[in-house]
């Protein structure tokens, strides 16, 4: 059986976890949390990191910290994982959807301006499947209209736009450490930022909104989005092999590209990373079936959010629809053998007619 994803652990995770258990420091009060936050933020190129219980809570925390509230609007790509839009709803605000770029599948920067209104407060570019968004024009629009930029980096640890790490370009970057992400803490996430005020507000909101100086005093409604020392212990271990994980994943992408004889077009400003290798085929559902018969797991691409009940809309998003219909996600994990990639590609090419 070839699964879609599989985490990779080593001695570093074991040793850190064992430290948690032997010292009894297992909650968010343990010392690995700050170390993990500092370590990850520095790697991204940010001054501050706020680790959370998930990528979703990281995004929610970021939006609340910017002051997003009922009646506000946030620009979100229509082709993304649903959490990107749900967190906007959690704030009582409205996600306003933008179509995908045909080449790299992320939010099309040329279609953002027409969606900006008096109520727009933020843009949320999502670096989908490890590919960076075209951040230049997005930052320019945000500057012109005074909008926050919250980057959803859940699938793109280490991707770069013009040599700058995603997560350090907008006001806040949000990463996920779910088990199938590039590095994992089981469940977990982090917000990265260079803005001290946003950082302090996120730290406060993550811990029920409790005052820094007065115990059990609360000035606003906060959350418990604190990560545990156990998760941070695993995260630190993962950090120590992050560069080698990215290199291995790059090799997997190159093998897929060469066996399939297709690759996404490349852009001078983009350095992508390989999250779950995703490509476009014909007869997508038949390809998934044929792979399943060989005990190989695969997934359809995300559906455009406006096709599903929570965000139903008659508005057309032709690019997202066309990409999503043909998109398939293939097994991607450290330890996936070259011969297995070759076997997978043979089926994909034959049934997918590429
Ligand atoms: C995984 C993911 C999230 C949510 O992260 P969780 O840690 O699962 O909450 C958000 N956005 C995107 C694009 C994702 O892929």
């Amino acid at each position: 059986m070839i699964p879609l994803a599989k985490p990779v652990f080593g001695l570093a995770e074991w040793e850190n976890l064992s430290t948690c258990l032997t010292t009894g420091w297992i909650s968010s009060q343990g010392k690995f949390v700050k170390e993990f936050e500092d370590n990850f933020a520095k790697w991204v190129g940010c001054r501050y990191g706020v680790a959370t219980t998930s990528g979703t809570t990281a995004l929610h925390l970021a939006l609340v910290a910017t002051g997003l509230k009922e009646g506000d609007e946030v620009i979100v790509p229509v082709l993304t994982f649903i959490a990107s839009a749900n967190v906007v709803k959690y704030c009582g605000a409205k996600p306003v959807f933008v179509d995908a770029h045909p080449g790299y599948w992320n939010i099309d920067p040329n279609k953002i301006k027409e969606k900006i209104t008096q109520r727009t407060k933020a843009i949320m570019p999502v670096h989908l499947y490890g590919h960076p968004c075209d951040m230049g024009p997005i930052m320019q629009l945000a500057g012109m209209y005074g909008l926050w930029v919250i980057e959803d980096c859940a699938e793109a640890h280490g991707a770069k736009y013009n040599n700058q790490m995603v997560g350090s370009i907008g006001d806040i970057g949000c990463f996920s450490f779910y088990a199938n992400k590039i590095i994992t803490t089981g469940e977990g996430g982090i917000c990265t930022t260079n803005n001290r005020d946003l950082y302090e507000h996120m730290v406060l909101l993550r811990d029920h909104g409790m005052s820094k100086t007065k115990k059990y005093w609360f000035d606003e409604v906060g959350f418990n989005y604190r990560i545990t020392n156990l998760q941070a212990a695993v995260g630190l271990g993962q950090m120590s092999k992050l560069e080698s994980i990215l290199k291995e994943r790059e090799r997997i992408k190159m093998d897929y590209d060469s066996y399939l004889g297709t690759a996404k077009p490349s852009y001078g400003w983009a350095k992508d990373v390989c999250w779950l290798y995703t490509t476009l085929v014909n007869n997508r559902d038949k390809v998934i079936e044929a792979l399943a018969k060989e005990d190989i797991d695969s997934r359809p691409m995300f559906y455009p959010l406006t096709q599903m009940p929570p965000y139903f809309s008659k508005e057309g998003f032709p690019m997202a629809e066309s990409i999503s219909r043909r998109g398939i996600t293939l097994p991607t994990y450290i330890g996936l053998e070259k011969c297995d990639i070759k076997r997978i590609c043979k089926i994909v090419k034959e049934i997918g007619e590429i």
Side-chain angles (χ1 to χ4, degrees):
M1 153 91 193
I2 299 181
L4 195 73
K6 198 155 75 172
V8 55
F9 300 120
L11 203 57
E13 289 87 340
W14 272 110
E15 282 177 355
N16 289 347
L17 272 175
S18 147
T19 303
C20 293
L21 297 176
T22 52
T23 61
W25 288 104
I26 55 171
S27 78
S28 60
Q29 299 300 310
K31 71 176 174 58
F32 287 135
V33 173
K34 186 75 169 60
E35 200 180 330
F36 178 49
E37 289 174 334
D38 289 348
N39 210 318
F40 191 84
K42 191 171 167 210
W43 182 74
V44 167
C46 279
R47 267 198 288 279
Y48 310 107
V50 183
T52 59
T53 50
S54 72
T56 306
T57 55
L59 285 166
H60 186 213
L61 195 66
L63 290 179
V64 176
T66 65
L68 192 75
K69 51 186 190 318
E70 210 164 317
D72 291 342
E73 293 177 359
V74 179
I75 307 274
V76 178
V78 75
L79 188 61
T80 179
F81 181 62
I82 197 162
S84 317
N86 283 350
V87 292
V88 176
K89 276 240 165 134
Y90 297 168
C91 299
K94 182 182 161 199
V96 173
F97 297 111
V98 171
D99 205 357
H101 184 279
Y104 53 87
W105 313 340
N106 292 331
I107 192 165
D108 188 336
N110 293 315
K111 294 177 181 164
I112 294 176
K113 196 173 173 179
E114 66 204 63
K115 298 287 175 96
I116 295 175
T117 73
Q118 294 288 337
R119 291 177 296 279
T120 310
K121 291 287 155 58
I123 307 176
M124 186 192 294
V126 182
H127 309 292
L128 214 58
Y129 299 110
H131 199 288
C133 294
D134 189 358
M135 291 302 291
I138 294 172
M139 294 309 292
Q140 205 172 3
L141 279 170
M144 255 165 66
Y145 291 91
L147 309 175
W148 297 104
V149 175
I150 309 299
E151 294 176 72
D152 182 342
C153 311
E155 305 177 359
H157 316 56
K160 291 177 183 162
Y161 172 80
N162 278 339
N163 243 355
Q164 191 178 353
M165 284 264 195
V166 302
S168 70
I169 303 167
D171 297 286
I172 304 175
C174 301
F175 294 81
S176 165
F177 302 121
Y178 180 61
N180 72 8
K181 299 293 161 83
I182 289 169
I183 57 169
T184 183
T185 61
E187 302 279 355
I190 195 169
C191 301
T192 54
T193 186
N194 282 310
N195 181 320
R196 192 176 175 94
D197 293 338
L198 286 176
Y199 166 68
E200 286 180 349
H201 199 184
M202 288 192 288
V203 168
L204 204 78
L205 286 166
R206 175 180 59 176
D207 188 18
H208 304 287
M210 183 151 67
S211 162
K212 239 168 68 177
T213 49
K214 200 168 159 186
K215 275 273 172 217
Y216 301 122
W217 184 264
F218 307 90
D219 286 310
E220 59 185 317
V221 175
F223 314 94
N224 176 358
Y225 284 171
R226 301 182 310 249
I227 198 169
T228 65
N229 206 45
L230 293 163
Q231 290 166 307
V234 173
L236 267 174
Q238 294 271 285
M239 280 300 297
S240 67
K241 44 173 135 341
L242 181 43
E243 292 296 342
S244 69
I245 287 176
L246 289 173
K247 261 200 208 108
E248 269 301 286
R249 285 177 168 275
E250 177 73 17
R251 185 198 59 78
I252 291 169
K253 185 185 80 175
M254 279 160 52
D255 284 346
Y256 268 122
D257 281 348
S258 79
Y259 287 132
L260 288 175
T262 60
K264 267 190 203 165
S266 56
Y267 299 84
W269 44 265
K271 172 73 193 81
D272 63 344
V273 293
C274 183
W275 176 48
L276 292 177
Y277 186 89
T278 301
T279 191
L280 306 183
V281 297
N282 299 300
N283 320 311
R284 195 262 318 275
D285 296 340
K286 283 210 179 91
V287 177
I288 292 178
E289 249 174 67
L291 288 169
K293 257 192 214 135
E294 298 289 319
D295 256 353
I296 299 164
D297 201 6
S298 66
R299 299 281 152 82
M301 188 188 258
F302 301 133
Y303 299 98
L305 295 180
T306 47
Q307 289 182 355
M308 297 180 286
Y311 300 105
F312 263 152
S313 162
K314 284 202 192 68
E315 186 179 353
F317 295 93
M319 274 310 147
E321 284 154 24
S322 145
I323 294 161
S324 166
R325 205 167 33 238
R326 293 176 290 147
I328 183 171
T329 295
L330 300 172
T332 312
Y333 54 87
I334 310 299
L336 179 63
E337 304 277 351
K338 224 182 169 78
C339 58
D340 287 327
I341 298 179
K342 198 171 175 181
R343 192 156 67 89
I344 293 166
C345 290
K346 189 163 175 287
I347 298 168
V348 173
K349 278 180 85 161
E350 199 173 294
I351 314 291
E353 295 169 6
I354 56 172

